[in-house]
Amino acid sequence: MSTPDARHARWRREWLGVSALLALLALLLGAGSWTWRLDQAAYDTGLSLWSRPAPDDIVLVTIDEASLRQLGQWPWPRALHATVIQQINQAQPKAILLDLLLSEPSPDPEQDQVLAQAIQQSGKVVLPLSFEALPQHLVRELPPVPALRAPAHLAHADAELDVDGVLRWAALHAGIAPGRHPHMALALLQVAGEPMHASIQAQSAPASAATNPVWRRDDRVLVRYIGPPGTVKQVSFAAVLRGDVPANVFTGRYVLIGASAIGLGDWYQTPVSGLSQAMPAVEITANLLQMLRTGDWVRPVPPLVVGVVSAGLILGLMFAFIRLSPYQALLAALLSALGVALASCALLAAGVWFAPTAFLLTALLAYPVWSWRRLETTQDFLDAEILRLAATPEPPSPESPKQHVPRDQVERRIAAIQGANARLQQAQQLLVNTLEAMPEAVLVVDGRGQVRQANPQLGTLLNLADQDTLTGQSLDTLLARWMPTDAPRWTMLLERALAEERVIITEVHGPFDQHLLARIAPLPSAANQPPWLVLCLADITPIRLIEQQRDELLGFIAHDIRSPQASLISLVQLQHMTRAAMPAEEVLDHVDMLARSTLALCDELLQIMRAETHPIQQQPTNLAQVAEQALKEVDLQARVKDITMVKDWAPDWTPVLPLDQSLVRRALINLLNNAIKFSPQGSEVRLRMTPQEGFCVIAVIDRGPGIPPAELKKLFRRYERLESSTAARVTAGVGLGLVFIDTVARRHGGRVQVHSEPGQGSCFELWLPSPTPP
């Protein structure tokens, strides 16, 4: 940040970070509906502001307090309800709802018969049913008594309350899965032969996999209430029974009979009820009926869309912040919050509900957060620049660059400090360019071992995720996993280099068998100035790996290939001796055996080198087919020794694994060849495949001499010699083959296990990971 452009770039990054966090917050609040309580309060307020005119063709016949005083204590004889239905039916209504739960039979069976006859004569009566909760989360339906069930149209009277106890949603269908019943309002439309408005799109519930009786709600809609309680036209039940209500009141209308007296029937809080006034269930049904007929409903915007839109608006507000003054930015935050709130109310009046709280909260939070981060950035910058000026000497012959004079007072202060710091930045930039141009990883440290400067090659070499935090770290902490061979701590090497005033060279061992060459050189310093040192790190891991491979190859040549070649020389010498000369056929047999032994050793070494260095080609492979191919390839060797090969896995089990087919097949052939080679004449070798804890395990079981437990751990070491005569005899010439098998297993993410007892045979298991349960 030595130039104004760099300073602006930092502020731009700060703005991007804060904007992204605030947008993410708005997205999470909106998409996750975390502000549902505030959104519901805003929805209730907005819905109360926009009332609708009362419908002309919906009439409520209410069982109110006056009816109770005139007709006596509840419940009334069901013959009274039959009389009212008959009177209303004479006026030819569209449909009649008797919103009473009649699941219990009347003490007088004739009362049920009278009511059933009135319902049957009308043919337009809808009766509600509900449900009862049972133990163990079970439910059962509560339909009307059988006498009333047959002639009536059944509908559910389930009310879905939100957490705050307010009824905002209605399920157009509900019932015990898989059966469903229409809502009473929808049933009235069906009885009247009037279709539901085509614009209404209900939210379907996800399919349920429950087998027990469960009450399931489906096709949910937001209820668009016409107005507060009492908006729908009402007449008293007693007045209808007396004949005081003219017949034309019911002609061609929907008639809903239900309780409105306090303490009688169901009452619910609604968004338009106010603080203390509830609405009877029969009037809620009338509101839903009017909404289904007219299509004047509320379409909720999906939460994810709310979150995305809120996040986009926040980004727009943050973009305005960088172009506005602090006062203008505050005004923009307040006005944007007010504008979204008003827009949400306007959309609600048009039948669309957009939850505004996610944006409102984030917008009101945006200004203080942005102001705080801007002040923090400014303070950090000033502190850093002042510290650099105090701790860094002035370079010779400085040149002052042309300064940018900003208008903002805070930026003007920063520019003044930058002008004084420009010469220091020039010298530091020269050091940075020099370090970046060096091919090795370089650190500049002080006498206490604190890192002052590092080039990008260090982060690449040491696999550091964040190189910006290197400055100020202790060298012992930074290189804690890379230990020098000549001292237990890095600071000791620094002290030695300063004390002896010479370059210290040492080798460093790191994680994953990494080798580095470190050179520590002290820098010349003036009197009364703290000492500085340069640490250079070069990766010599490839060199050490090549040396190791060279040593292994030399050891292999010295121990394994040398033996058959020495035998060939001895055979030639014997042939030159007349007395000890062998027949030509016998000589050729020996030469053939020794040559094949040498060729087999070279082939095994080549297989191991290819398995370790070449990338494996994993493809979905049928492991059972690979195993059968391996059995076919060794079948001839088994027949020569009269050995029975047993295939031990289910015929219908065909595990498919991501494998390098050629490597795995070669590993199985090696295992089977070893088993045949060391099994007695006429015995059997078993190839078994089983699933085990996320692996497919292939086991080769023989009846050979076995291997002592003390020698098992040496089997998979390259060029390792076994001490026991029996073990050495069993594994002679097979060491590299087992190393190849172990390499193939590790390259596939698996392992090899051996179970063996002397005299009982051996079991070699190849564990290959299975991505899916077998």
Side-chain angles (χ1 to χ4, degrees), residues 506-714:
T506 182
E507 187 169 341
V508 181
H509 297 287
F512 308 108
D513 200 22
Q514 187 177 9
H515 297 269
L516 306 178
L517 184 64
R519 290 177 293 176
I520 304 175
L523 295 176
S525 60
N528 300 325
Q529 293 293 331
W532 293 70
L533 302 99
V534 175
L535 171 60
C536 299
L537 297 173
D539 189 4
I540 59 173
T541 303
I543 299 176
R544 291 292 180 261
L545 180 60
I546 293 174
E547 291 176 352
Q548 181 183 358
Q549 293 177 350
R550 180 200 62 192
D551 294 340
E552 290 179 350
L553 180 60
L554 291 176
F556 168 73
I557 295 174
H559 289 86
D560 293 76
I561 297 183
R562 183 176 178 275
S563 178
Q565 302 308 312
S567 299
L568 284 174
I569 295 174
S570 300
L571 183 62
V572 173
Q573 292 175 350
L574 287 174
Q575 288 302 106
H576 287 300
M577 300 179 183
T578 307
R579 295 180 179 179
M582 295 184 295
E585 184 177 355
E586 186 176 354
V587 171
L588 291 177
D589 290 340
H590 282 284
V591 171
D592 180 73
M593 179 189 66
L594 295 173
R596 290 181 182 275
S597 176
T598 303
L599 183 61
L601 291 173
C602 294
D603 185 59
E604 289 178 348
L605 179 62
L606 183 61
Q607 289 180 13
I608 293 173
M609 294 178 65
R610 288 179 176 175
E612 289 180 342
T613 57
H614 289 200
I616 62 175
Q617 304 295 328
Q618 287 184 310
Q619 294 181 352
T621 304
N622 189 328
L623 188 57
Q625 292 181 358
V626 176
E628 290 178 354
Q629 293 173 3
L631 285 173
K632 290 180 181 179
E633 187 157 339
V634 301
D635 182 67
L636 185 59
Q637 294 94 314
R639 290 184 181 182
V640 171
K641 295 187 66 175
D642 193 22
I643 292 177
T644 303
M645 305 299 294
V646 180
K647 183 174 68 173
D648 186 6
W649 65 82
D652 57 346
W653 185 45
T654 56
V656 177
L657 281 68
L659 303 173
D660 189 315
Q661 182 175 349
S662 62
L663 290 180
V664 174
R665 185 174 65 88
R666 173 54 56 187
L668 291 180
I669 291 173
N670 285 358
L671 286 176
L672 291 172
N673 280 331
N674 291 345
I676 295 172
K677 182 177 180 180
F678 301 110
S679 294
Q681 190 85 13
S683 62
E684 75 171 21
V685 173
R686 182 177 297 271
L687 181 61
R688 182 179 63 199
M689 284 200 307
T690 56
Q692 292 286 342
E693 302 173 354
F695 289 83
C696 282
V697 182
I698 309 176
V700 177
I701 307 168
D702 61 47
R703 295 293 182 264
I707 305 172
E711 306 292 343
L712 289 177
K713 60 183 179 181
K714 300 181 181 180

Side-chain angles (χ1 to χ4, degrees), residues 99 236 274 283 326 424 426 435 463 575 582 586 616 647:
D99 190 9
S236 175
E283 189 171 1
L424 178 62
Q426 291 177 359
L435 292 178
N463 194 22
Q575 288 302 106
M582 295 184 295
E586 186 176 354
I616 62 175
K647 183 174 68 173

Side-chain angles (χ1 to χ4, degrees), residues 55-102:
D56 295 329
D57 53 353
I58 298 178
V59 179
L60 301 182
V61 177
T62 58
I63 303 174
D64 52 7
E65 286 81 1
S67 300
L68 292 176
R69 288 193 299 268
Q70 295 179 23
L71 301 178
Q73 186 178 3
W74 184 265
W76 297 331
R78 294 181 179 177
L80 293 180
H81 304 302
T83 302
V84 169
I85 289 176
Q86 291 172 350
Q87 293 180 357
I88 296 174
N89 189 58
Q90 291 175 1
Q92 297 298 318
K94 289 184 177 180
I96 303 172
L97 170 66
L98 183 59
D99 190 9
L100 299 175
L101 194 59
L102 304 174

